[in-house]
Amino acid sequence: MRTVLTLGLVAALSLGSLAACGGDDDDFSDIKGSATAAATAQPTATLTADSSTGGDTAGYTKSVRDESTVLKKALKKLNEDMLAAQLNQADPAVPAKLKADVQAVNDSVAKLKAMKAPESLSKFSTDLNAALDQIKKGADGIAEAVDTNNQGTGLAAFADLSGGEAKLDAAIATLPA
């Protein structure tokens, strides 16, 4: 669905750019420049730190808070499905459900790790990345436990998930308002 939205946005930007280029004075370079700009436009915001101002702290903190909420929801769903799996281990849908939950957690972790913190928040970024690394280790451990049916691996992974989530909460609490 994201690909469809991205392609739709690029197409809309292309049409909008070409429509704005109307008039008799247009030349090929104007059209080519508009089409190139539309084709390379990024429909999703990518946070970057501006070295001259110390970065967009407000934008970064909002994005981190928003994505950490998504991560917390994914962690909650994974925990709920792990508990449900214990009660109904014979259900053949359990492994696929848990792996989908793990993928959602890892996708959210990757999005948070990709965000570039302003220099003023370097300590927060270090703490956040430590929490995210632990969460990813736990999620990957759950996937391994599902594949191997190893209860010890699953328990260790659950401990990593819980510890990483606690570190995430502690890091988020230090973000400026």
Side-chain angles (χ1 to χ4, degrees):
M1 179 159 168
R2 181 179 279 176
T3 303
V4 172
L5 291 174
T6 302
L7 293 175
L9 184 57
V10 169
L13 287 172
S14 297
L15 290 174
S17 295
L18 291 175
C21 293
D24 294 335
D25 297 329
D26 289 340
D27 62 10
F28 181 74
S29 64
D30 288 342
I31 295 169
K32 181 179 176 187
S34 297
T36 301
T40 59
Q42 296 220 352
T44 56
T46 302
L47 294 176
T48 57
D50 179 355
S51 60
S52 64
T53 63
D56 179 12
T57 302
Y60 173 79
T61 57
K62 180 182 179 337
S63 294
V64 167
R65 286 183 200 281
D66 290 348
E67 190 59 39
S68 67
T69 299
V70 171
L71 176 56
K72 297 277 287 175
K73 287 178 182 175
L75 285 167
K76 181 180 179 187
K77 178 147 177 36
L78 176 58
N79 284 327
E80 288 170 353
D81 288 344
M82 284 189 302
L83 289 173
Q86 285 183 337
L87 299 175
N88 193 7
Q89 293 180 8
D91 184 354
V94 166
K97 187 182 291 189
L98 289 175
K99 287 210 173 178
D101 292 345
V102 165
Q103 187 61 51
V105 167
N106 282 339
D107 288 348
S108 189
V109 165
K111 286 178 185 175
L112 280 164
K113 286 186 82 68
M115 294 180 189
K116 302 296 180 208
E119 287 184 33
S120 62
L121 295 176
S122 63
K123 165 95 171 79
F124 166 78
S125 180
T126 300
D127 294 345
L128 176 66
N129 283 323
L132 295 174
D133 289 342
Q134 189 170 358
I135 290 169
K136 180 162 180 16
K137 179 181 176 189
D140 291 344
I142 294 296
E144 180 183 338
V146 168
D147 288 339
T148 62
N149 199 22
N150 185 320
Q151 187 175 8
T153 301
L155 290 172
F158 181 75
D160 282 330
L161 283 173
S162 297
E165 188 172 4
K167 286 180 182 178
L168 175 66
D169 291 341
I172 296 297
T174 67
L175 272 177

